[in-house]
Amino acid sequence: MVPPFKIKVVEPIALPSAAQRREAIEQAGYNTFLLRSEDVFIDLLTDSGTSAVSQEQRAAMELGDEAYAGSRSFFNLERAVREAYGYRHVIPAHQGRGAEHLLAQILVEPGQIVPSNLYFTTSREHVELAGGVWVDVSVPEASDPVSRFPFKGNIDLAKLENVLRAADDRIAFIRHEACLNMAGGQPFSIANLAAVQARARAHGVPLILDATRLSENALFVKDHERGYARHSLAELARTIAGLSDGAIFSSKKDHFVPIGGLLALNDDEVARRARELVVVYEGFPHYGGLAGHDMEALAVGIRESLHEPTVRHYVEQVAYLGALLQDAGVPIVLPLGAHAVFIDARRFTPHIPQQQFPAQALAAAIYVAGGVRTMERGIVSGQHGDEPYDGLELVRLTLPRRVYTAEHLEYVARSVAEVYEARSEIPGLRMTYAPEHLRFFQARFKPLAPMPNLAQDEPAKREIVETR
Ligand code: P71
């Protein structure tokens, strides 16, 4: 699909030399989070806060009301959230995890359970810091990288019912994540969400959405769930949100803002407690850690997130990159999800045992080969303490929205294909430093054998002109 926008402001990028890349990844402890962005050519680390803002967002930012309390920009944001999703109470937060923190502090008592589809790192951490216990109730297809099931974001209703029966009065809330990040970004169906809601009601338990990437979930529903083909994304977003009691949003994704998050609720008492806590951790309830201009950009971004050509173009970009990688024989997770192509490191580097961090090693190798930054989503991110882990072992190539062109994606695919040719030479890693919380962000590694010389400066790459 031809992009439904044209580019007006650009940021120069350049490929560092092969020697610089090798030096940079070593300095970064073979952790792509620890690279400097100046050492990165194409940055597919995350779609979080990295999207391009629109001219309408920039114009709205000029009108930001920076009043500490009663900011006009807050009321604009509140109106946008109510119109798009229908929630009654809107509490801004500095980003998604700020909202997760408030929610966990309010709803989770020590020993209580949060059933959820798979996990998200920060969501789980906040539940556990509040003394809660995370229980996975995802469908089995979510953890199967070769299953073509289109709704890997669904909750397994039998698993959920078992948890609810066994622990009726110890359930804090049910968490249902849109475009399930750790599975590969695949959606839930509205039918599944409605069935989860019915069970939540029957047991008197709140159902909270992680509504991050809700707009792409709505598009997948429109395209793949029977009965919704004629619905607009706006109608679908209202329907989805209307099946829940509340939501957290990391607005840094499909709301096109560099910073921002939301806690949206229908229950008056929960919202009152959230407003009590927001002043302790985020700021006055009329800004929650955001500037007035941030809230203006977010209000506009929420409306843009329901513009079908914009969302469709993005999802098709992901599909395009996925198809290029498949053509090169690279094993990826299917079906393709919302925001990223996930390489299956177990099949890419079968010679590296999981204890030697194959996805982490592969992400480092991909950087060295072409200056492309990706993210490990395997044992480093997923293992909890000393618990055994034999889950997914993936490298995520995440697309910022409205940022890269088809040529960038073709370069990425060529670069990964080169690594695939030399895959047997990629060494495993050993971890030399592991922080206590969310270790993947800052852990450090050393290769168990020298990294192969993947970093050729092939002619196509050398043509790139240094601009600074
Ligand atoms: C992503 C991120 C950002 C991230 C966070 C933690 C580790 C690595 C990267 C953030 C999400 C998310 C979902 C479903 C809540 C958050 C937290 N994703 N829910 O995918 O995907 O939001 O980052 O705004 O605090 O790169 P926050």
Side-chain angles (χ1 to χ4, degrees):
M1 184 187 189
V2 178
F5 53 81
K6 59 183 177 175
I7 298 165
K8 181 147 62 181
V9 179
V10 297
E11 178 176 345
I13 53 174
L15 178 69
S17 72
Q20 279 172 306
R21 270 139 47 206
R22 274 195 299 271
E23 168 73 16
I25 197 71
E26 198 190 329
Q27 292 285 321
Y30 293 84
N31 183 347
T32 52
F33 277 104
L34 301 179
L35 288 166
R36 291 176 179 228
S37 78
E38 292 232 303
D39 290 329
V40 172
F41 183 35
I42 297 189
D43 202 346
L44 306 187
L45 183 72
T46 178
D47 62 329
S48 189
T50 53
S51 298
V53 294
S54 65
Q55 59 181 1
E56 285 73 19
Q57 285 179 292
R58 288 195 69 103
M61 286 170 81
E62 286 296 315
L63 303 177
D65 175 359
E66 306 301 345
Y68 190 92
S71 162
R72 177 180 66 234
S73 302
F74 167 75
F75 294 105
N76 285 341
L77 172 60
E78 184 183 57
R79 192 167 52 249
V81 175
R82 283 184 178 157
E83 278 170 13
Y85 308 111
Y87 296 116
R88 295 179 51 219
H89 299 283
V90 180
I91 294 130
H94 75 285
Q95 59 183 75
R97 71 198 72 180
E100 291 172 338
H101 177 217
L102 299 176
L103 186 75
Q105 291 295 318
I106 295 162
L107 290 186
V108 181
E109 300 290 340
Q112 279 194 322
I113 290 170
V114 177
S116 173
N117 47 349
L118 291 184
Y119 72 97
F120 189 73
T121 50
T122 54
S123 324
R124 179 172 180 172
E125 185 85 18
H126 280 299
V127 164
E128 291 179 350
L129 286 171
V133 180
W134 194 270
V135 176
D136 174 33
V137 289
S138 60
V139 290
E141 291 88 344
S143 307
D144 178 357
V146 297
S147 159
R148 302 286 179 107
F149 184 57
F151 294 107
K152 290 184 175 181
N154 281 358
I155 280 182
D156 185 314
L157 299 171
K159 270 194 219 165
L160 176 66
E161 191 58 36
N162 282 341
V163 175
L164 293 175
R165 286 232 177 99
D168 215 358
D169 56 346
R170 287 193 298 123
I171 306 289
F173 63 95
I174 300 168
R175 175 182 175 278
H176 206 162
E177 181 182 320
C179 287
L180 189 55
N181 200 348
M182 301 306 278
Q186 296 89 358
F188 54 61
S189 67
I190 288 183
N192 182 256
L193 181 65
V196 171
Q197 185 208 29
R199 279 161 183 78
R201 287 268 160 86
H203 290 266
V205 172
L207 169 59
I208 305 291
L209 289 181
D210 185 328
T212 306
R213 308 184 181 91
L214 186 70
S215 54
E216 288 97 7
N217 201 116
L219 185 73
F220 284 121
V221 163
K222 183 179 169 96
D223 288 351
H224 300 300
E225 186 170 356
R226 188 185 290 230
Y228 294 104
R230 291 175 191 279
H231 290 234
S232 68
L233 294 195
E235 288 165 345
L236 291 167
R238 281 290 284 233
T239 302
I240 291 169
L243 288 166
S244 72
D245 298 300
I248 74 99
F249 293 79
S250 169
S251 292
K252 299 174 70 171
K253 283 76 171 179
D254 54 332
H255 293 160
F256 304 104
V257 285
I259 196 71
L262 297 165
L263 176 57
L265 297 160
N266 287 332
D267 185 280
D268 295 342
E269 177 56 15
V270 179
R272 187 190 63 74
R273 290 174 61 201
R275 290 196 184 95
E276 260 178 29
L277 275 189
V278 77
V279 294
V280 181
Y281 294 110
E282 302 280 320
F284 196 71
H286 291 163
Y287 73 88
L290 298 176
H293 61 249
D294 294 333
M295 293 190 283
E296 293 288 352
L298 178 48
V300 176
I302 287 170
R303 297 191 183 103
E304 290 178 4
S305 80
L306 299 172
H307 180 236
E308 186 173 323
T310 300
V311 182
R312 190 173 291 287
H313 168 256
Y314 179 62
V315 168
E316 287 185 4
Q317 272 204 315
V318 171
Y320 180 57
L321 178 59
L324 293 174
L325 289 172
Q326 270 192 296
D327 288 349
V330 175
I332 61 172
V333 175
L334 295 170
L336 287 155
H339 61 308
V341 179
F342 290 70
I343 297 175
D344 187 357
R346 280 180 196 270
R347 286 182 285 153
F348 196 113
T349 49
H351 61 286
I352 306 180
Q354 200 163 24
Q355 296 313 315
Q356 294 178 11
F357 313 110
Q360 188 80 30
L362 179 53
I366 290 172
Y367 168 72
V368 171
V372 177
R373 171 151 72 169
T374 59
M375 188 191 288
E376 192 264 7
R377 297 277 81 175
I379 188 168
V380 182
S381 316
Q383 188 177 40
H384 229 65
D386 295 330
E387 275 174 20
Y389 178 91
D390 63 356
L392 291 165
E393 188 64 30
L394 309 176
V395 172
R396 190 180 75 173
L397 284 69
T398 335
L399 299 195
R401 291 168 184 75
R402 311 191 287 210
V403 170
Y404 291 119
T405 64
E407 289 100 316
H408 290 112
L409 302 183
E410 287 153 14
Y411 170 87
V412 169
R414 279 200 306 277
S415 212
V416 173
E418 279 172 26
V419 179
Y420 192 57
E421 291 303 308
R423 61 192 179 277
S424 63
E425 297 165 48
I426 300 172
L429 304 173
R430 76 186 158 84
M431 200 184 287
T432 56
Y433 167 64
E436 190 186 339
H437 295 286
L438 301 173
R439 66 178 181 178
F440 55 90
F441 279 127
Q442 296 173 92
R444 302 186 72 86
F445 303 83
K446 284 218 154 57
L448 292 165
M451 270 277 165
N453 194 14
L454 298 160
Q456 302 134 4
D457 284 312
E458 54 159 91
K461 294 178 191 165
R462 253 186 269 120
E463 274 167 27
I464 295 145
V465 186
E466 286 276 356
T467 55
R468 273 167 298 170

